[in-house]
Amino acid sequence: MIRDDIKAAQVAAMKAGEKERLAAVRLILAKLKDRDIELRTAKSVPDDDVIVVDVLQKMAKQRRESITMFEQGGRDELAAQEKAELAVIESFLPAMMGPDEVKAAVAAIVAEIGAAGPKDMGRVMAEVKARHAGQIDMSTVSGVVKAALAG
């Protein structure tokens, strides 16, 4: 499980004296703890790996946005710190599907559910998210789905 890998990375970073990596791993664990607390009152709790991947993806997105803003503002030292944290976060994320794999997965889902046009985009997107959550960047999938349904 990904959560176990993160905890092991914390111990390894402590033993190796890697302060920056340890700080980033502790941030991840803190966000996971927050999410666990939020889910205590939830009616249905998703699989643990789904929760962890979701938290990691949100953290990565926040870091990317911060890097862009810091670089535009001329704060290169803060951008470098965010890049270091992003590298740690991405090291725990599962491998993302490449563009060709995404197109193949979308084409298979379109054929399977019999999507005919743009009106079926919501159904296709929901199925892609259900099957490939954590493996596909959903922000790029919408363009692929539009192209698949248009052609």
Side-chain angles (χ1 to χ4, degrees):
M1 291 177 44
I2 300 171
R3 191 181 298 251
D4 295 334
D5 294 341
I6 295 170
K7 289 178 182 176
Q10 180 185 21
V11 172
M14 277 192 243
K15 288 181 179 179
E18 299 170 331
K19 291 182 182 182
E20 293 82 16
R21 183 170 173 79
L22 179 60
V25 171
R26 284 182 172 159
L27 277 173
I28 294 169
L29 289 171
K31 287 288 185 186
L32 289 173
K33 181 89 170 158
D34 289 345
R35 188 62 181 270
D36 290 343
I37 291 169
E38 288 174 19
L39 291 174
R40 284 183 189 167
T41 58
K43 299 207 183 306
S44 65
V45 179
D47 183 42
D48 189 52
D49 279 349
V50 173
I51 295 168
V52 173
V53 168
D54 184 48
V55 168
L56 290 173
Q57 285 178 334
K58 286 180 183 175
M59 290 179 73
K61 181 180 178 190
Q62 290 171 341
R63 297 306 179 281
R64 286 187 200 99
E65 291 170 355
S66 297
I67 289 167
T68 304
M69 292 177 66
F70 286 142
E71 287 175 344
Q72 290 173 351
R75 300 295 307 266
D76 294 331
E77 70 282 354
L78 293 175
Q81 179 182 350
E82 293 290 316
K83 285 179 184 176
E85 287 180 8
L86 179 61
V88 173
I89 292 166
E90 287 179 338
S91 71
F92 296 112
L93 282 170
M96 299 298 267
M97 294 172 83
D100 294 335
E101 294 172 307
V102 172
K103 288 178 185 174
V106 168
I109 290 171
V110 167
E112 184 179 315
I113 66 172
K119 63 179 174 38
D120 294 323
M121 185 166 174
R123 286 181 32 217
V124 175
M125 290 293 289
E127 191 64 29
V128 169
K129 186 171 185 175
R131 291 187 192 181
H132 302 290
Q135 298 174 329
I136 295 179
D137 181 16
M138 293 305 290
S139 62
T140 60
V141 170
S142 64
V144 174
V145 172
K146 282 180 189 174
L149 294 177

